[in-house]
Coordinates of all heavy atoms in Angstrom, one line a residue:
M56 N -60.5 44.7 3.1 CA -61.2 45.9 3.6 C -60.2 46.6 4.4 O -59.6 45.9 5.3 CB -62.5 45.7 4.3 CG -63.2 46.9 4.7 SD -64.9 46.5 5.5 CE -65.8 46.1 4.2
I57 N -60.2 47.9 4.4 CA -59.4 48.8 5.3 C -60.4 49.5 6.2 O -61.2 50.2 5.7 CB -58.5 49.8 4.5 CG1 -57.5 49.0 3.7 CG2 -57.8 50.7 5.5 CD1 -56.7 49.9 2.8
G58 N -60.4 49.3 7.5 CA -61.1 50.1 8.4 C -60.4 51.2 9.1 O -59.4 51.0 9.6
L59 N -61.0 52.4 8.8 CA -60.3 53.5 9.5 C -61.2 54.0 10.6 O -62.3 53.8 10.8 CB -60.2 54.7 8.6 CG -59.4 54.4 7.3 CD1 -59.4 55.6 6.4 CD2 -58.0 54.0 7.6
Q60 N -60.6 54.6 11.7 CA -61.3 55.2 12.8 C -60.6 56.4 13.3 O -59.5 56.6 13.1 CB -61.4 54.1 14.0 CG -60.1 53.8 14.6 CD -60.3 52.7 15.6 OE1 -61.4 52.2 15.8 NE2 -59.3 52.4 16.4
G61 N -61.4 57.3 13.9 CA -60.8 58.5 14.4 C -60.9 59.6 13.4 O -62.0 60.0 12.9
E62 N -59.8 60.2 12.9 CA -59.8 61.3 12.0 C -58.8 60.9 10.8 O -57.9 60.3 11.0 CB -59.2 62.6 12.8 CG -60.0 63.1 13.9 CD -59.4 64.3 14.5 OE1 -58.3 64.8 14.1 OE2 -60.1 64.8 15.3
L63 N -59.3 61.5 9.6 CA -58.5 61.2 8.4 C -58.1 62.6 8.1 O -58.9 63.5 7.4 CB -59.4 60.5 7.3 CG -58.7 60.3 6.1 CD1 -57.4 59.3 6.4 CD2 -59.5 59.6 5.1
Q64 N -56.8 63.0 8.4 CA -56.4 64.3 8.2 C -54.9 64.3 8.0 O -54.2 63.2 8.0 CB -56.9 65.3 9.3 CG -56.8 64.7 10.6 CD -55.6 65.2 11.4 OE1 -54.7 65.9 10.9 NE2 -55.5 64.6 12.6
A65 N -54.2 65.3 7.8 CA -52.9 65.4 7.5 C -51.9 64.6 8.4 O -51.1 63.9 8.0 CB -52.3 66.9 7.6
A66 N -52.2 64.5 9.7 CA -51.3 63.9 10.5 C -51.6 62.3 10.6 O -50.7 61.6 11.0 CB -51.5 64.3 12.0
T67 N -52.6 61.8 9.9 CA -52.8 60.5 9.8 C -52.8 59.8 8.5 O -52.8 58.6 8.4 CB -54.3 60.2 10.5 OG1 -55.2 60.8 9.7 CG2 -54.3 60.7 11.9
I68 N -52.7 60.5 7.4 CA -52.8 60.0 6.0 C -51.6 59.1 5.7 O -51.8 58.2 5.0 CB -53.0 61.0 4.9 CG1 -51.9 62.1 5.0 CG2 -54.4 61.7 5.2 CD1 -52.1 63.1 3.8
G69 N -50.4 59.4 6.4 CA -49.2 58.4 6.2 C -49.6 57.0 6.5 O -49.3 56.1 5.7
D70 N -50.2 56.8 7.6 CA -50.7 55.5 8.0 C -51.7 54.9 7.0 O -51.5 53.7 6.8 CB -51.4 55.5 9.5 CG -50.4 55.8 10.5 OD1 -49.0 55.5 10.4 OD2 -50.8 56.3 11.6
F71 N -52.6 55.6 6.6 CA -53.5 55.3 5.6 C -52.9 54.8 4.2 O -53.1 53.7 3.8 CB -54.6 56.3 5.2 CG -55.5 56.0 4.2 CD1 -56.4 54.9 4.1 CD2 -55.5 56.8 3.1 CE1 -57.2 54.6 3.1 CE2 -56.3 56.6 2.0 CZ -57.0 55.4 2.1
F72 N -52.0 55.6 3.8 CA -51.2 55.3 2.7 C -50.4 53.9 2.7 O -50.2 53.1 1.9 CB -50.2 56.4 2.2 CG -51.0 57.4 1.4 CD1 -50.8 58.8 1.7 CD2 -52.0 57.1 0.4 CE1 -51.5 59.7 1.0 CE2 -52.6 58.1 -0.2 CZ -52.4 59.5 0.1
D73 N -49.8 53.7 4.0 CA -49.0 52.5 4.3 C -49.9 51.3 4.2 O -49.5 50.3 3.6 CB -48.4 52.6 5.6 CG -47.2 53.6 5.8 OD1 -46.7 54.0 4.7 OD2 -46.9 53.9 7.0
Q74 N -51.1 51.4 4.8 CA -52.0 50.4 4.8 C -52.6 50.0 3.4 O -52.7 48.9 2.9 CB -53.3 50.6 5.8 CG -54.3 49.5 5.7 CD -53.7 48.2 6.4 OE1 -52.9 48.3 7.2 NE2 -54.3 47.1 6.0
M75 N -52.8 51.1 2.6 CA -53.3 51.0 1.2 C -52.1 50.2 0.4 O -52.4 49.4 -0.5 CB -53.5 52.3 0.5 CG -54.9 52.9 0.8 SD -56.2 52.0 0.1 CE -55.8 52.0 -1.6
G76 N -50.9 50.6 0.6 CA -49.7 49.9 0.0 C -49.8 48.3 0.3 O -49.5 47.6 -0.7
R77 N -49.9 48.1 1.4 CA -50.0 46.6 1.9 C -51.1 45.8 1.2 O -51.0 44.8 0.6 CB -50.0 46.5 3.4 CG -48.7 46.8 4.1 CD -48.7 46.4 5.5 NE -49.6 47.2 6.3 CZ -49.2 48.3 6.9 NH1 -48.1 48.8 6.7 NH2 -50.1 49.0 7.6
V78 N -52.3 46.5 1.2 CA -53.4 45.8 0.6 C -53.3 45.8 -1.0 O -53.6 44.8 -1.6 CB -54.8 46.7 0.9 CG1 -55.9 46.2 0.0 CG2 -55.1 46.5 2.3
L79 N -52.8 46.9 -1.6 CA -52.6 46.8 -3.0 C -51.6 45.9 -3.4 O -51.4 45.4 -4.6 CB -52.2 48.2 -3.6 CG -53.5 49.2 -3.5 CD1 -53.1 50.6 -3.8 CD2 -54.6 48.7 -4.5
A80 N -50.6 45.5 -2.6 CA -49.5 44.6 -3.0 C -50.1 43.2 -3.3 O -49.4 42.4 -4.0 CB -48.5 44.4 -1.8
D81 N -51.3 42.9 -2.8 CA -52.0 41.6 -3.0 C -52.7 41.7 -4.3 O -53.4 40.7 -4.7 CB -52.9 41.3 -1.9 CG -52.1 40.8 -0.6 OD1 -50.9 40.5 -0.7 OD2 -52.7 41.0 0.5
R82 N -52.7 42.8 -5.0 CA -53.5 43.0 -6.3 C -54.9 42.6 -6.2 O -55.3 41.8 -7.0 CB -52.8 42.2 -7.3 CG -51.3 42.5 -7.5 CD -51.2 43.9 -8.2 NE -49.7 44.2 -8.6 CZ -49.4 45.1 -9.4 NH1 -50.3 45.8 -10.0 NH2 -48.2 45.3 -9.6
P83 N -55.7 43.2 -5.3 CA -57.1 43.0 -5.3 C -57.9 43.6 -6.6 O -57.3 44.6 -7.1 CB -57.6 43.5 -4.0 CG -56.6 44.7 -3.8 CD -55.3 44.2 -4.4
D84 N -59.0 43.2 -6.8 CA -59.9 43.8 -7.8 C -60.5 45.1 -7.2 O -60.8 46.1 -7.9 CB -60.9 42.9 -8.3 CG -60.3 41.6 -9.2 OD1 -59.2 41.9 -9.8 OD2 -60.9 40.7 -9.1
V85 N -60.9 44.9 -5.9 CA -61.6 46.0 -5.2 C -61.0 46.1 -3.8 O -60.7 45.3 -3.2 CB -63.2 45.7 -5.1 CG1 -63.9 46.7 -4.2 CG2 -63.8 45.5 -6.4
V86 N -60.9 47.4 -3.4 CA -60.4 47.8 -2.1 C -61.6 48.7 -1.4 O -62.0 49.7 -1.9 CB -59.0 48.7 -2.1 CG1 -58.7 49.0 -0.7 CG2 -57.9 47.9 -2.8
V87 N -62.1 48.1 -0.3 CA -63.2 48.8 0.3 C -62.5 49.5 1.5 O -61.7 49.0 2.4 CB -64.2 47.8 0.8 CG1 -65.3 48.6 1.6 CG2 -64.9 47.1 -0.3
V88 N -62.8 50.8 1.6 CA -62.2 51.6 2.8 C -63.6 51.9 3.7 O -64.5 52.6 3.2 CB -61.5 52.9 2.3 CG1 -61.2 53.7 3.4 CG2 -60.4 52.7 1.4
D89 N -63.6 51.3 4.8 CA -64.7 51.4 5.7 C -64.5 52.7 6.5 O -63.4 52.9 7.4 CB -64.8 50.3 6.6 CG -65.9 50.4 7.6 OD1 -66.6 51.4 7.8 OD2 -66.1 49.4 8.4
L90 N -65.4 53.7 6.3 CA -65.3 55.0 6.9 C -66.2 55.2 8.1 O -66.4 56.3 8.7 CB -65.5 56.2 5.9 CG -64.5 56.2 4.8 CD1 -65.0 57.3 3.8 CD2 -63.1 56.5 5.4
S91 N -66.9 54.1 8.5 CA -68.1 54.2 9.4 C -67.6 54.6 10.8 O -68.4 55.1 11.6 CB -68.7 52.9 9.6 OG -67.8 51.9 10.0
R92 N -66.2 54.6 11.1 CA -65.7 54.9 12.5 C -64.8 56.2 12.2 O -64.1 56.5 13.3 CB -65.0 53.7 13.1 CG -66.1 52.7 13.4 CD -65.5 51.3 13.8 NE -64.4 51.5 14.8 CZ -63.9 50.4 15.3 NH1 -64.3 49.2 15.1 NH2 -62.8 50.6 16.2
V93 N -65.0 56.9 11.1 CA -64.2 58.2 11.1 C -65.1 59.3 11.3 O -66.2 59.5 10.9 CB -63.7 58.3 9.6 CG1 -63.1 59.6 9.2 CG2 -62.7 57.2 9.2
A94 N -64.7 59.9 12.4 CA -65.5 61.1 12.9 C -65.1 62.3 12.3 O -66.0 63.3 12.1 CB -65.1 61.3 14.4
F95 N -64.0 62.5 11.7 CA -63.6 63.8 11.1 C -62.8 63.4 9.8 O -61.9 62.6 9.8 CB -62.9 64.6 12.0 CG -62.4 65.9 11.4 CD1 -63.4 67.0 11.1 CD2 -61.1 66.0 11.0 CE1 -62.8 68.2 10.6 CE2 -60.6 67.3 10.4 CZ -61.5 68.3 10.1
C96 N -62.9 64.1 8.7 CA -62.2 64.1 7.5 C -62.1 65.4 6.9 O -63.1 66.1 6.6 CB -62.8 63.1 6.4 SG -62.0 62.9 4.9
D97 N -60.8 66.0 6.8 CA -60.6 67.3 6.2 C -60.2 67.2 4.7 O -60.2 66.1 4.1 CB -59.6 68.1 7.1 CG -58.3 67.6 7.0 OD1 -58.0 66.6 6.3 OD2 -57.4 68.1 7.8
F98 N -59.9 68.3 4.1 CA -59.5 68.2 2.7 C -58.2 67.5 2.4 O -58.1 66.9 1.4 CB -59.4 69.6 2.2 CG -60.8 70.2 2.0 CD1 -61.2 71.2 2.8 CD2 -61.6 69.8 1.0 CE1 -62.5 71.7 2.8 CE2 -62.9 70.4 0.8 CZ -63.3 71.4 1.8
D99 N -57.3 67.3 3.5 CA -56.2 66.5 3.3 C -56.6 65.0 3.3 O -56.0 64.3 2.5 CB -55.2 66.7 4.5 CG -54.4 68.2 4.5 OD1 -54.0 68.4 3.3 OD2 -54.4 68.7 5.5
G100 N -57.6 64.7 4.1 CA -58.2 63.4 4.0 C -58.8 63.1 2.7 O -58.7 61.9 2.2
V101 N -59.6 64.0 2.2 CA -60.2 63.7 0.9 C -59.1 63.7 -0.2 O -59.3 62.8 -1.0 CB -61.0 65.0 0.6 CG1 -61.6 65.0 -0.9 CG2 -62.2 65.1 1.5
S102 N -58.1 64.4 -0.1 CA -56.9 64.3 -1.0 C -56.4 63.0 -0.9 O -55.9 62.3 -2.0 CB -55.9 65.5 -0.8 OG -54.9 65.3 -1.6
A103 N -56.2 62.4 0.2 CA -55.6 61.2 0.4 C -56.5 60.1 -0.3 O -55.9 59.1 -0.9 CB -55.5 60.8 1.9
L104 N -57.8 60.1 -0.1 CA -58.8 59.3 -0.7 C -58.5 59.3 -2.2 O -58.6 58.2 -3.0 CB -60.2 59.5 -0.3 CG -60.4 59.2 1.2 CD1 -61.9 59.6 1.6 CD2 -60.3 57.6 1.5
V105 N -58.5 60.6 -2.8 CA -58.2 60.6 -4.3 C -57.0 60.0 -4.7 O -56.9 59.3 -5.8 CB -58.4 62.2 -4.7 CG1 -58.0 62.3 -6.2 CG2 -59.8 62.7 -4.4
G106 N -56.0 60.3 -4.0 CA -54.7 59.7 -4.4 C -54.7 58.1 -4.2 O -54.1 57.4 -5.0
A107 N -55.4 57.7 -3.2 CA -55.5 56.1 -3.1 C -56.3 55.6 -4.2 O -55.9 54.5 -4.7 CB -56.2 55.8 -1.7
D108 N -57.3 56.3 -4.6 CA -58.2 55.8 -5.8 C -57.3 55.8 -7.1 O -57.3 54.9 -7.9 CB -59.4 56.6 -6.0 CG -60.2 56.4 -7.2 OD1 -60.6 55.3 -7.2 OD2 -60.4 57.2 -8.1
R109 N -56.5 56.9 -7.3 CA -55.6 57.0 -8.5 C -54.7 55.8 -8.4 O -54.4 55.2 -9.4 CB -54.8 58.3 -8.5 CG -54.1 58.6 -9.6 CD -53.4 59.9 -9.7 NE -54.2 60.9 -9.4 CZ -54.0 61.8 -8.3 NH1 -53.0 61.5 -7.5 NH2 -54.9 62.7 -8.0
R110 N -54.0 55.5 -7.3 CA -53.1 54.4 -7.2 C -53.8 53.1 -7.4 O -53.1 52.2 -8.2 CB -52.3 54.4 -5.8 CG -51.4 53.4 -5.7 CD -50.3 53.7 -6.6 NE -49.2 52.6 -6.4 CZ -48.5 52.1 -7.5 NH1 -48.7 52.4 -8.7 NH2 -47.7 51.0 -7.2
A111 N -54.9 52.9 -6.8 CA -55.6 51.6 -7.0 C -55.9 51.4 -8.6 O -55.8 50.3 -9.1 CB -56.9 51.5 -6.3
R112 N -56.4 52.4 -9.3 CA -56.6 52.3 -10.7 C -55.4 52.0 -11.4 O -55.5 51.2 -12.4 CB -57.3 53.6 -11.2 CG -58.8 53.8 -10.7 CD -59.3 55.3 -11.1 NE -60.5 55.6 -10.4 CZ -61.6 55.8 -11.1 NH1 -61.7 55.6 -12.4 NH2 -62.8 56.0 -10.4
Q113 N -54.3 52.6 -11.1 CA -53.0 52.3 -11.8 C -52.8 50.9 -11.7 O -52.1 50.3 -12.7 CB -51.9 53.2 -11.3 CG -52.0 54.6 -11.6 CD -50.9 55.4 -10.8 OE1 -50.3 54.9 -9.8 NE2 -50.6 56.6 -11.1
L114 N -53.1 50.2 -10.6 CA -52.8 48.8 -10.5 C -54.0 47.9 -10.9 O -54.1 46.7 -10.6 CB -52.4 48.6 -9.0 CG -51.2 49.2 -8.6 CD1 -51.0 49.1 -7.1 CD2 -50.0 48.7 -9.3
G115 N -55.0 48.4 -11.5 CA -56.3 47.8 -12.0 C -57.2 47.4 -11.0 O -58.1 46.5 -11.2
A116 N -57.2 48.1 -9.9 CA -58.2 48.0 -8.8 C -59.3 49.1 -8.7 O -59.0 50.1 -9.3 CB -57.5 47.7 -7.4
R117 N -60.3 48.8 -8.0 CA -61.3 49.9 -7.8 C -61.4 50.2 -6.4 O -61.5 49.2 -5.5 CB -62.6 49.4 -8.3 CG -63.8 50.4 -8.1 CD -65.0 49.8 -8.8 NE -66.0 50.7 -8.4 CZ -67.1 50.2 -7.8 NH1 -67.3 48.9 -7.6 NH2 -68.2 51.0 -7.3
L118 N -61.2 51.4 -5.9 CA -61.5 51.8 -4.6 C -62.9 52.2 -4.3 O -63.6 52.9 -5.1 CB -60.6 53.1 -4.3 CG -60.5 53.6 -2.8 CD1 -59.7 52.7 -2.0 CD2 -60.1 55.1 -2.7
V119 N -63.5 51.6 -3.3 CA -64.8 51.8 -2.9 C -64.9 52.3 -1.5 O -64.3 51.7 -0.6 CB -65.7 50.5 -3.0 CG1 -67.1 50.7 -2.6 CG2 -65.6 50.0 -4.5
L120 N -65.6 53.2 -1.1 CA -66.0 53.8 0.2 C -67.1 53.2 0.9 O -68.1 52.9 0.1 CB -66.0 55.3 0.3 CG -64.8 56.1 -0.4 CD1 -65.1 57.6 -0.3 CD2 -63.6 55.7 0.2
A121 N -67.1 52.9 2.1 CA -68.2 52.3 2.8 C -68.4 53.0 4.1 O -67.6 53.4 4.9 CB -68.1 50.9 3.1
G122 N -69.7 53.3 4.3 CA -70.1 53.7 5.8 C -69.9 55.2 6.2 O -69.9 55.4 7.4
A123 N -69.6 56.0 5.2 CA -69.3 57.3 5.7 C -70.5 57.9 6.3 O -71.6 57.8 5.9 CB -68.9 58.2 4.4
Q124 N -70.4 58.6 7.4 CA -71.5 59.2 8.3 C -71.1 60.6 8.6 O -69.9 60.9 8.6 CB -71.7 58.4 9.4 CG -71.7 56.9 9.3 CD -72.0 56.3 10.5 OE1 -73.0 56.4 11.1 NE2 -71.1 55.4 11.0
G125 N -72.1 61.4 9.0 CA -71.9 62.7 9.8 C -71.0 63.7 8.9 O -71.3 63.8 7.8
R126 N -70.1 64.2 9.6 CA -69.2 65.2 9.0 C -68.3 64.6 7.9 O -68.0 65.2 6.8 CB -68.2 65.8 10.0 CG -69.0 66.7 11.0 CD -68.2 67.2 12.1 NE -67.4 68.3 11.6 CZ -66.4 68.9 12.3 NH1 -66.1 68.5 13.4 NH2 -65.7 69.8 11.7
C127 N -67.9 63.3 7.9 CA -67.2 62.7 6.9 C -68.1 62.6 5.7 O -67.6 62.9 4.6 CB -66.7 61.3 7.4 SG -65.6 60.5 6.2
A128 N -69.4 62.1 5.8 CA -70.1 62.0 4.6 C -70.4 63.4 4.1 O -70.5 63.5 2.8 CB -71.5 61.4 5.1
Q129 N -70.6 64.4 4.9 CA -70.8 65.8 4.4 C -69.7 66.3 3.5 O -69.9 66.8 2.4 CB -71.0 66.7 5.5 CG -72.4 66.5 6.2 CD -72.6 67.4 7.6 OE1 -71.5 68.1 8.0 NE2 -73.6 67.5 8.1
I130 N -68.5 66.1 4.0 CA -67.3 66.6 3.2 C -67.1 65.8 1.8 O -66.8 66.3 0.9 CB -66.0 66.6 3.9 CG1 -65.0 67.5 3.1 CG2 -65.4 65.4 4.2 CD1 -63.7 67.9 4.0
L131 N -67.5 64.5 1.9 CA -67.4 63.8 0.7 C -68.4 64.2 -0.3 O -68.1 64.3 -1.5 CB -67.7 62.3 0.9 CG -66.6 61.5 1.8 CD1 -66.9 60.1 2.0 CD2 -65.2 61.5 1.0
H132 N -69.6 64.6 0.2 CA -70.7 65.1 -0.7 C -70.3 66.5 -1.2 O -70.5 66.8 -2.4 CB -72.1 65.2 0.1 CG -73.2 65.8 -0.8 ND1 -73.6 65.0 -1.7 CD2 -73.8 66.9 -0.6 CE1 -74.6 65.8 -2.3 NE2 -74.8 66.9 -1.6
R133 N -69.8 67.4 -0.3 CA -69.5 68.8 -0.7 C -68.4 68.7 -1.8 O -68.4 69.7 -2.7 CB -69.0 69.5 0.4 CG -70.1 70.2 1.2 CD -69.6 71.2 2.3 NE -70.1 70.8 3.5 CZ -69.6 70.8 4.7 NH1 -68.4 71.3 4.8 NH2 -70.2 70.4 5.7
T134 N -67.5 67.8 -1.7 CA -66.3 67.7 -2.8 C -66.7 67.0 -3.9 O -65.9 67.0 -4.9 CB -65.1 67.1 -2.1 OG1 -65.4 65.9 -1.7 CG2 -64.6 68.0 -0.9
G135 N -67.8 66.4 -4.0 CA -68.2 65.5 -5.0 C -67.7 64.1 -5.1 O -67.9 63.4 -6.0
L136 N -66.9 63.8 -4.2 CA -66.2 62.5 -4.0 C -67.1 61.4 -3.9 O -66.9 60.3 -4.4 CB -65.1 62.4 -3.0 CG -64.0 61.4 -3.0 CD1 -63.3 61.5 -4.4 CD2 -63.0 61.5 -1.9
D137 N -68.3 61.7 -3.3 CA -69.3 60.7 -3.1 C -69.9 60.3 -4.5 O -70.4 59.1 -4.7 CB -70.4 61.0 -2.2 CG -71.1 62.3 -2.7 OD1 -70.6 63.2 -3.5 OD2 -72.3 62.5 -2.3
Q138 N -69.8 61.2 -5.5 CA -70.3 60.7 -6.9 C -69.1 60.0 -7.7 O -69.5 59.3 -8.6 CB -70.7 62.0 -7.6 CG -71.9 62.8 -6.9 CD -73.1 61.8 -6.9 OE1 -73.6 61.4 -7.9 NE2 -73.6 61.7 -5.7
I139 N -67.9 60.2 -7.3 CA -66.7 59.6 -8.1 C -66.6 58.1 -7.5 O -66.5 57.2 -8.2 CB -65.6 60.4 -7.9 CG1 -65.7 61.8 -8.6 CG2 -64.4 59.7 -8.5 CD1 -64.7 62.7 -8.4
L140 N -66.5 58.0 -6.2 CA -66.2 56.7 -5.6 C -67.4 55.9 -5.2 O -67.4 54.8 -4.7 CB -65.2 56.8 -4.4 CG -63.9 57.5 -4.7 CD1 -63.1 57.6 -3.6 CD2 -63.2 56.7 -5.7
R141 N -68.6 56.5 -5.2 CA -69.9 55.8 -5.0 C -69.9 55.0 -3.7 O -69.7 53.8 -3.6 CB -70.2 54.9 -6.2 CG -70.4 55.6 -7.5 CD -71.7 56.2 -7.6 NE -71.7 56.9 -8.8 CZ -72.7 57.8 -9.1 NH1 -73.8 58.0 -8.4 NH2 -72.8 58.3 -10.3
P142 N -69.9 55.8 -2.5 CA -69.9 55.0 -1.2 C -71.0 54.0 -1.1 O -72.1 54.2 -1.6 CB -70.0 56.2 -0.2 CG -69.7 57.4 -0.9 CD -70.0 57.2 -2.4
L143 N -70.7 53.0 -0.5 CA -71.7 51.9 -0.1 C -72.0 52.0 1.3 O -71.3 52.6 2.2 CB -71.0 50.6 -0.3 CG -70.3 50.3 -1.7 CD1 -69.6 49.0 -1.6 CD2 -71.4 50.2 -2.6
P144 N -73.2 51.3 1.7 CA -73.4 51.3 3.2 C -72.4 50.5 3.8 O -71.7 49.6 3.2 CB -74.8 50.6 3.1 CG -75.4 50.5 1.7 CD -74.2 50.8 0.9
V145 N -72.2 50.7 5.1 CA -71.1 50.1 5.9 C -71.4 48.6 5.9 O -72.6 48.1 6.0 CB -71.0 50.5 7.3 CG1 -72.1 50.3 8.2 CG2 -69.7 50.1 7.9
E146 N -70.4 47.8 5.7 CA -70.4 46.3 5.7 C -70.2 46.0 7.2 O -69.4 46.7 7.9 CB -69.3 45.7 4.8 CG -69.4 46.1 3.4 CD -70.2 45.1 2.6 OE1 -70.5 44.0 3.0 OE2 -70.8 45.6 1.7
A147 N -70.5 44.9 7.7 CA -70.2 44.4 9.0 C -68.8 44.1 9.2 O -68.3 43.1 8.6 CB -71.1 43.1 9.3
G148 N -68.1 44.9 10.0 CA -66.8 44.7 10.4 C -65.8 44.8 9.3 O -66.0 44.2 8.3
A149 N -64.8 45.5 9.5 CA -63.7 45.6 8.5 C -62.6 44.6 8.9 O -62.5 44.2 10.0 CB -63.0 47.1 8.7
A150 N -61.9 44.1 7.9 CA -60.9 43.1 8.0 C -59.7 43.7 8.8 O -59.0 43.0 9.6 CB -60.4 42.6 6.7
T151 N -59.4 45.0 8.6 CA -58.2 45.7 9.3 C -58.9 47.0 9.8 O -59.4 47.8 8.9 CB -57.2 45.9 8.2 OG1 -56.8 44.7 7.7 CG2 -56.0 46.6 8.9
V152 N -58.6 47.2 11.0 CA -59.2 48.5 11.6 C -57.8 49.3 12.0 O -57.1 48.6 12.7 CB -60.2 48.3 12.8 CG1 -60.4 49.6 13.4 CG2 -61.4 47.7 12.2
M153 N -57.6 50.5 11.6 CA -56.5 51.2 12.1 C -56.9 52.5 12.5 O -57.9 53.1 11.8 CB -55.4 51.2 11.0 CG -56.0 51.8 9.7 SD -54.6 52.1 8.5 CE -54.1 53.8 9.0
P154 N -56.3 53.0 13.5 CA -56.6 54.4 13.8 C -56.2 55.4 12.8 O -55.2 55.2 12.1 CB -55.8 54.7 15.1 CG -54.9 53.6 15.2 CD -55.2 52.5 14.3
A155 N -57.1 56.4 12.4 CA -56.8 57.4 11.4 C -56.4 58.7 12.1 O -56.5 58.8 13.2 CB -58.0 57.6 10.6

């Protein structure tokens, strides 16, 4: 599980992609991205999630979002990403928490 916190936007997506690369190197079947502590996600953040999903699929994994709330949940809904990645309720504690 990748736990993000703060903001998912242009200035922070590089760190997110680095973390995704490390997780995908282990060839998991599912990668859960915990968004429960993300206060803000803009269209660059949404684009990063789409790119991460694409990369996960290329490697045979599934990207799943968990715990999106507030403004983050709203932008996922407005863009339709909540229908593509099917967000889950937040799980207790992420294995890795990184500032977004």
Side-chain angles (χ1 to χ4, degrees):
M56 183 180 288
I57 298 172
L59 302 177
Q60 63 184 11
E62 298 183 354
L63 186 57
Q64 42 96 6
T67 62
I68 59 176
D70 292 336
F71 170 62
F72 282 133
D73 289 346
Q74 183 65 26
M75 277 295 300
R77 286 191 292 275
V78 170
L79 289 172
D81 292 335
R82 301 290 184 160
D84 292 328
V85 176
V86 177
V87 178
V88 179
D89 180 356
L90 299 172
S91 64
R92 294 170 41 178
V93 173
F95 177 77
C96 178
D97 65 8
F98 287 103
D99 291 318
V101 169
S102 179
L104 293 171
V105 170
D108 178 58
R109 184 178 312 119
R110 182 67 180 138
R112 288 175 191 242
Q113 289 172 344
L114 297 173
R117 179 173 168 239
L118 185 75
V119 177
L120 305 180
Q124 320 177 60
R126 293 176 74 190
C127 185
Q129 289 174 349
I130 196 165
L131 294 176
H132 180 71
R133 277 190 234 145
T134 60
L136 198 57
D137 62 338
Q138 297 300 308
I139 296 168
L140 297 180
R141 302 284 181 186
L143 302 172
V145 67
E146 303 274 334
T151 304
V152 176
M153 58 172 274

